[in-house]
Amino acid sequence: MDCYCGTNKEYKDCCEVAHKNIAAVITAEQLMRSRYAAFVRADGDYLMKSHHSSTRPLKEKKSIVSWAKSVTWIRLEVLESSKGSSNEPEGTVTFNAYFLENGKMEVIHEKSAFIKENGNWMYLGLAE
């Protein structure tokens, strides 16, 4: 099965690797893609684990999972990545995530900020 994140790799060779071991994530874009796949799979544990400790929304985990299950995910479109390579401490990724909600096509357009925490890439929040 092709990975949810839009690469031409199989899930087991792509985002599943990150979902099983966050230390395997090499770039900010890879983390963002793995988070998209986690939304598709409604994997709240990974969404929390990959969210920086300073901005992690622990109390919203249940509602995030509920919402992720309530929509039909269509596709991810990465528009731009800036910095975020394996040897950099921070980076941004701009993307569109398309989904159906109540029969209507919706899109999340976001420029996300990522930083390393304990050597691992983490989602920080919206980039400025």
Side-chain angles (χ1 to χ4, degrees), residues 63-98:
S63 62
I64 290 168
V65 168
S66 178
W67 177 76
K69 287 179 178 179
S70 76
V71 302
T72 302
W73 294 94
I74 307 296
R75 71 183 167 96
L76 174 67
E77 178 181 51
V78 175
L79 304 173
E80 180 184 28
S81 290
S82 177
K83 299 184 182 175
S85 68
S86 62
N87 61 346
E88 294 175 296
E90 61 186 35
T92 62
V93 180
T94 305
F95 66 90
N96 289 329
Y98 297 90

Side-chain angles (χ1 to χ4, degrees), residues 10-113:
E10 289 191 28
Y11 171 69
K12 68 179 180 67
D13 297 322
C14 191
C15 289
E16 186 178 38
V17 174
H19 293 167
K20 289 183 173 180
N21 177 16
I22 199 162
V25 174
I26 305 300
T27 67
E29 182 177 326
Q30 186 183 6
L31 184 76
M32 189 278 307
R33 288 180 177 279
S34 71
R35 285 180 54 80
Y36 172 83
F39 272 102
V40 174
R41 296 173 56 81
D43 183 346
D45 291 336
Y46 184 78
L47 291 169
M48 294 301 114
K49 182 178 12 177
S50 62
H51 204 120
H52 193 271
S53 63
S54 69
T55 57
R56 189 176 296 139
L58 292 174
K59 291 182 175 150
E60 284 116 46
K61 177 182 171 184
K62 219 180 243 187
S63 62
I64 290 168
V65 168
S66 178
W67 177 76
K69 287 179 178 179
S70 76
V71 302
T72 302
W73 294 94
I74 307 296
R75 71 183 167 96
L76 174 67
E77 178 181 51
V78 175
L79 304 173
E80 180 184 28
S81 290
S82 177
K83 299 184 182 175
S85 68
S86 62
N87 61 346
E88 294 175 296
E90 61 186 35
T92 62
V93 180
T94 305
F95 66 90
N96 289 329
Y98 297 90
F99 59 96
L100 288 174
E101 187 170 29
N102 301 320
K104 184 179 173 203
M105 176 77 85
E106 301 284 349
V107 63
I108 297 169
H109 174 78
E110 184 175 312
K111 183 176 183 179
S112 299

